[in-house]
Amino acid sequence: MAPTALFTTITPRGRCPHPLFLVLTLGLLVAIAACTEKPKTASEPIRFAFQNRIGSALPVIAVEKGFFADQGLDVKPLRFNNGPACAEALYSGSADFGTMGDTTAIISASRSENLTIIASHCTGEHRHRLIVRDGSPYKTLADLSGKRVGIKKGTSTYGGFLAAMAAAGMPAGSITVTDLSPSTLPEALAAGSIEAFAASEPTPSMGELKGGRELMTFGGLGNRYPIMLLAQNEFLTNREADTLAFMEALKTAEGFVRAHPEETAAIMARATGLPPEVMQSAMERHTYALTMDAPIVSSLSETTAFLKAHGKVQKVPDFNTVSTDRYLR
């Protein structure tokens, strides 16, 4: 072959191309393929709405100790001070998982077909308490007839309050309920704008620090007051592996809470603003465990029947459909 043929880039009459031409052509094809290939991105962050409250020790610990990250998950924590706010985050699609008390979970499941209850992560028969001012004359719930009681409506505390009134034989309207955010309840009581307030921990303990005293708890009524974990159905369908890893991180947090109560109390004290010694005492009113067993479902069913009888829910959810334990197995 003649020397000039070595530099031929176009090959008429079957002449072979120069090797440099093949290299350049292959590189161009690779570049074009790279430009047209769909970009590979990591999974979207998991948006987790939970409450900065004592009952949410497992979510708080899982975030603070990095247990989600240990499972390879990018979790974006969304912290609220009440269950209805977490439910709203789920309704609006701004959260993938959300925690809330049993009453809020039941209302959420009855109103939306896009949510599934996948676990309880805390129970506590005496975690809801009714607080009055120290030195006030009130000794029983009946003494508050005609008085103003501050409660966040739609919460599990509200459900417990209604159950306590029914157990005492008091008509629902005999006490005026003022709908207030839990964070404002101790100040409202101290200012005298309400005669009592009902809330879950840590709000009652905060009220006691500011001159309140316990009138009663809402225990003894056959309700374990579970705090439920709900998820968007679309997330459960499309990201099952991430869901299982998410639950594994919460399971690790459960073990940590059980093994390190003092460190847990210190972490929760920082998260809620309560002194560690008050936090540790308040945590003793709770049992922290991931479960979706028959007693939890039974408790939810009983609360649902009560809420239906009082007109708080119109549609009774089928817990065989709206709940599952498959992510705990």
Side-chain angles (χ1 to χ4, degrees):
M1 183 180 293
T4 54
L6 295 175
F7 299 95
T8 302
T9 56
I10 299 177
T11 59
R13 297 185 180 92
R15 186 175 296 170
C16 293
H18 188 277
L20 180 60
F21 172 79
L22 294 177
V23 172
L24 293 174
T25 302
L26 181 60
L28 180 60
L29 291 174
V30 171
I32 292 173
C35 291
T36 57
E37 185 181 0
K38 198 171 183 179
K40 296 180 180 178
T41 58
S43 296
E44 292 293 322
I46 298 175
R47 302 161 302 171
F48 185 20
F50 60 89
Q51 301 176 63
N52 246 6
R53 303 177 71 76
I54 293 176
S56 291
L58 298 193
V60 172
I61 293 299
V63 170
E64 297 296 330
K65 297 299 291 185
F67 294 148
F68 290 121
D70 290 345
Q71 291 292 327
L73 300 176
D74 179 10
V75 171
K76 178 182 179 183
L78 307 172
R79 303 178 190 239
F80 299 96
N81 68 3
N82 61 82
C86 294
E88 180 58 36
L90 282 174
Y91 286 143
S92 65
S94 59
D96 303 303
F97 292 92
T99 70
M100 60 202 73
D102 54 351
T103 295
T104 311
I106 291 164
I107 293 173
S108 299
S110 68
R111 292 179 179 176
S112 174
E113 297 180 352
N114 299 321
L115 304 176
T116 296
I117 301 171
I118 61 175
S120 163
H121 63 82
C122 175
T123 58
E125 189 179 5
H126 299 286
R127 68 186 187 87
H128 301 284
R129 297 197 283 153
L130 187 63
I131 304 297
V132 297
R133 284 188 297 278
D134 195 17
S136 66
Y138 312 120
K139 291 184 171 47
T140 67
L141 183 60
D143 292 339
L144 292 172
S145 293
K147 307 301 181 182
R148 296 162 298 176
V149 175
I151 305 176
K152 180 61 183 176
K153 289 186 176 180
T155 61
S156 56
T157 300
Y158 186 46
F161 175 74
L162 293 175
M165 289 189 65
M170 300 176 64
S174 60
I175 292 177
T176 301
V177 174
T178 302
D179 190 6
L180 294 174
S181 172
S183 61
T184 66
L185 290 171
E187 288 75 13
L189 180 66
S193 56
I194 54 176
E195 279 68 48
F197 74 77
S200 62
E201 292 292 349
T203 306
S205 292
M206 292 293 288
E208 289 172 325
L209 289 177
K210 296 183 178 183
R213 66 174 171 85
E214 178 186 303
L215 184 70
M216 65 179 296
T217 78
F218 296 154
L221 301 173
N223 193 334
R224 296 172 65 187
Y225 300 111
I227 302 179
M228 311 308 301
L229 174 64
L230 285 72
Q232 292 276 2
N233 289 342
E234 182 179 3
F235 187 96
L236 296 177
T237 299
N238 296 333
R239 298 177 65 176
E240 182 170 3
D242 285 346
T243 300
L244 293 171
F246 184 90
M247 299 304 289
E248 189 63 31
L250 291 177
K251 191 70 177 176
T252 302
E254 177 187 331
F256 181 90
V257 169
R258 188 178 298 113
H260 307 283
E262 292 185 2
E263 185 177 352
T264 298
I267 293 172
M268 294 301 297
R270 292 194 297 271
T272 62
L274 275 175
E277 61 274 14
V278 175
M279 173 61 64
Q280 195 155 7
S281 174
M283 287 183 66
E284 292 174 359
R285 300 176 182 272
H286 300 74
T287 299
Y288 302 99
L290 281 172
T291 184
M292 195 63 200
D293 57 12
I296 292 293
V297 175
S298 176
S299 182
L300 291 174
S301 298
E302 290 180 11
T303 301
T304 300
F306 178 83
L307 294 173
K308 180 71 164 59
H310 284 74
K312 302 305 178 184
V313 294
Q314 303 302 319
K315 177 184 175 185
V316 175
D318 178 4
F319 289 106
N320 291 322
T321 303
V322 302
S323 67
T324 180
D325 66 351
R326 64 174 294 181
Y327 303 105
L328 294 174
R329 286 182 238 164

